[in-house]
């Protein structure tokens, strides 16, 4: 969803952002408030806000390597004399619009892939973690990760047994953050502009020492990765809203919206619709549509293209298009918008 502006913010978040823009603020003070609020929300010891999760990956790795040492920070991306190998399970070497390996290399570090693209055992991780010059373990929790799911708790323990810190990139997983923090990871990274619906920002949660080291790197390579005052205010408003939300009610609303969409889609004779759960365990499902080719000349790819070309342009998740499956993310949508989508679909799928 990043090319679509990712999410829409509530009027409450938007008004907080607008107010932030009209004043001067001491950024250090704002970041201290953010750290407290993030800690209250998540139970992590400390937190900070940076430009986005891409920045958070680079800065977390910088922080692990440099600590708060000014000379080390000034030297980056030169890492001579610093442990700089970052162990990453090969299946976690994702591309979210940028290859995560490049986000690692931007800090001067060297990504080392462990295991195969389908499997990485804890044994294989341990072997790499014990290599001299190793700095940390990076794990990714995302639907972009292919292959067998690694046991995060065991992976974090393996790193800690080797005396190394861990970072989890959980960008879109703010609704699973308790699970991810429960692994014992030293740092957890989240994108505030995804399901949290804040302005673009990266949230870094973790130990005070590493959060301080991230902030210290703002006087180094992090200069170009810092959070704006409006991003900080937007995140604070978004987590305030999230904390007042009733998850059970929210889930029921999402389930109801999805069931209605699927019911109505199944009334279109050229379609079959069903729900698929989020593969990472996020607390909602998505709608999957398949086109019945015996009943229309428009295939799945044709439908997706036609939806894009209409007004309003409608974008779907295209990762399963090769299997002729079209996935709809309904979480951010209102009923009236869903009605427009269904109307457009039935217009496009003319009977044979
Ligand atoms: C979206 C995403 C990113 C990048 O996040 P930005 O905040 O857009 O920089 C990184 N990792 C994963 C797993 C993502 O889903």
């Amino acid at each position: 969803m990043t090319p679509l502006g990712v999410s829409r913010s509530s009027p409450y978040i938007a008004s907080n952002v607008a107010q932030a823009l009209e004043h001067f603020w001491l950024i250090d003070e704002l970041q201290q408030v953010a750290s407290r609020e993030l800690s209250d929300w998540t139970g992590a010891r400390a937190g900070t806000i940076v430009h986005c999760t891409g920045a958070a990956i680079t800065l977390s790795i910088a922080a692990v390597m440099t600590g708060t040492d000014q000379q080390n920070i000034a030297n980056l991306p030169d890492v001579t004399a610093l442990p700089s190998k970052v162990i990453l399970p090969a299946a976690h070497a994702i591309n979210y619009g940028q290859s995560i390996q490049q986000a690692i290399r931007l800090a001067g570090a060297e990504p080392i892939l462990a295991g195969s693209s389908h499997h990485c055992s804890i044994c294989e991780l341990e072997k790499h973690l014990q290599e001299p010059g190793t700095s940390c373990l990076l794990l990714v929790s995302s639907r972009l990760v292919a292959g067998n799911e690694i046991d995060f708790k065991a992976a974090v323990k393996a790193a800690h047994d080797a005396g190394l810190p861990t970072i989890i990139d959980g960008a879109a997983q703010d609704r699973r953050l308790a699970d991810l923090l429960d692994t014992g990871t030293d740092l957890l990274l989240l994108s505030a502009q995804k399901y949290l619906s804040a302005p673009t920002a990266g949230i870094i949660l973790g130990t005070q020492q590493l959060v301080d080291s991230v902030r210290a790197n703002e006087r180094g390579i992090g200069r170009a990765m810092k959070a704006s005052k409006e991003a900080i205010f937007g995140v604070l408003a978004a987590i305030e809203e999230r904390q007042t939300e009733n998850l059970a009610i929210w889930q029921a609303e999402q389930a109801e919206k999805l069931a209605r969409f699927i019911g109505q889609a199944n009334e279109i004779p050229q379609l079959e619709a069903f729900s698929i759960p989020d593969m990472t365990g996020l607390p909602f499902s998505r709608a999957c549509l398949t086109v019945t080719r015996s009943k229309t000349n428009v295939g799945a790819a044709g439908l997706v293209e036609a939806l894009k070309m209409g007004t309003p342009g409608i974008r779907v998740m295209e990762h399963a298009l090769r299997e002729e499956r079209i996935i709809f993310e309904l979480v951010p949508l209102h009923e009236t918008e869903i009605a427009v989508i269904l109307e457009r679909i039935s217009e496009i799928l003319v009977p044979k």
Side-chain angles (χ1 to χ4, degrees):
M1 283 175 72
T2 300
L4 305 179
V6 190
S7 60
R8 294 184 292 197
S9 297
S10 68
Y12 179 70
I13 294 172
S15 74
N16 272 266
V17 169
Q19 281 169 34
L21 287 167
E22 291 187 47
H23 301 279
F24 294 107
W25 303 94
L26 292 170
I27 294 295
D28 277 340
E29 263 181 33
L30 286 187
Q31 287 280 15
Q32 275 166 25
V33 171
S35 184
R36 274 200 305 276
E37 295 294 326
L38 288 168
S39 174
D40 280 353
W41 173 41
T42 65
R45 293 306 292 273
T48 188
I49 301 171
V50 298
H51 180 69
C52 66
T53 296
I57 295 165
T58 303
L59 283 174
S60 298
I61 286 159
V64 163
M65 293 191 299
T66 63
T68 51
D69 185 277
Q70 282 180 15
Q71 196 55 54
N72 286 342
I73 289 168
N75 286 347
L76 289 192
D78 181 341
V79 292
T80 319
L82 291 178
S84 60
K85 289 180 189 161
V86 174
I87 312 304
L88 179 71
H92 293 205
I94 57 167
N95 187 316
Y96 45 77
Q98 167 198 37
S99 114
I100 197 168
Q101 286 137 290
Q102 184 179 45
I104 296 167
R105 287 192 290 112
L106 266 174
E110 182 193 358
I112 306 286
L113 298 187
S116 75
S117 59
H118 286 287
H119 185 73
C120 177
S121 68
I122 299 298
C123 257
E124 275 166 301
L125 275 186
E126 280 168 346
K127 196 180 70 200
H128 287 289
L129 289 165
Q130 271 140 22
E131 291 278 315
T134 299
S135 152
C136 64
L137 171 67
L138 175 63
L139 302 169
V140 178
S141 179
S142 163
R143 62 178 184 83
L144 299 174
V145 170
N148 295 342
E149 194 53 85
I150 199 164
D151 178 344
F152 275 49
K153 244 185 195 168
V156 168
K157 182 172 184 302
H160 289 172
D161 287 349
L164 297 173
T166 59
I167 302 166
I168 297 180
D169 167 10
Q173 306 269 306
D174 52 274
R175 287 190 180 275
R176 284 190 61 236
L177 71 85
D179 287 350
L180 294 173
L181 285 174
D182 193 46
T183 59
T185 188
D186 300 272
L187 289 177
L188 172 64
L189 320 181
L190 303 169
S191 293
Q193 76 278 14
K194 292 181 174 172
Y195 292 105
L196 199 57
S197 302
T200 294
I203 295 174
I204 301 180
L205 301 168
T207 63
Q208 189 69 57
Q209 199 274 331
L210 283 174
V211 165
D212 289 345
S213 304
V214 167
R215 294 239 41 230
N217 270 282
E218 280 176 20
R219 295 170 187 278
I221 62 165
R223 174 71 191 184
M225 305 179 190
K226 62 188 178 297
S228 63
K229 61 184 176 183
E230 59 272 28
I232 299 173
F233 267 83
V235 171
L236 291 175
I239 62 183
E240 218 183 296
E241 278 196 334
R242 175 63 66 85
Q243 284 173 291
T244 59
E245 174 197 273
N246 179 321
L247 178 63
I249 293 176
W250 182 86
Q251 274 187 283
E253 283 167 0
Q254 296 305 320
E256 211 178 296
K257 181 163 68 173
L258 180 65
R260 209 158 32 230
F261 177 85
I262 288 172
Q264 289 169 0
N266 274 324
E267 285 169 20
I268 302 173
Q270 297 84 4
L271 277 186
E272 224 175 293
F274 49 96
S275 89
I276 45 169
D278 178 78
M279 57 181 279
T280 61
L282 288 174
F284 58 84
S285 297
R286 299 187 177 90
C288 181
L289 304 190
T290 58
V291 178
T292 311
R293 287 308 300 268
S294 57
K295 294 185 183 163
T296 174
N297 287 324
V298 185
L303 174 56
V304 168
E305 284 313 304
L307 285 171
K308 278 184 197 168
M309 301 305 289
T311 308
I314 296 166
R315 297 294 193 283
V316 302
M317 295 170 90
E318 296 185 22
H319 58 276
L321 207 50
R322 247 182 302 165
E323 297 103 74
E324 300 272 311
R325 289 171 155 216
I326 307 173
I327 320 272
F328 286 78
E329 166 88 50
L330 302 181
V331 170
L333 299 183
H334 309 304
E335 286 300 339
T336 48
E337 295 167 319
I338 289 177
V340 171
I341 293 171
L342 288 162
E343 205 176 300
R344 289 281 303 128
I345 292 175
S346 37
E347 278 166 17
I348 296 163
L349 292 180
V350 283
K352 245 185 188 167

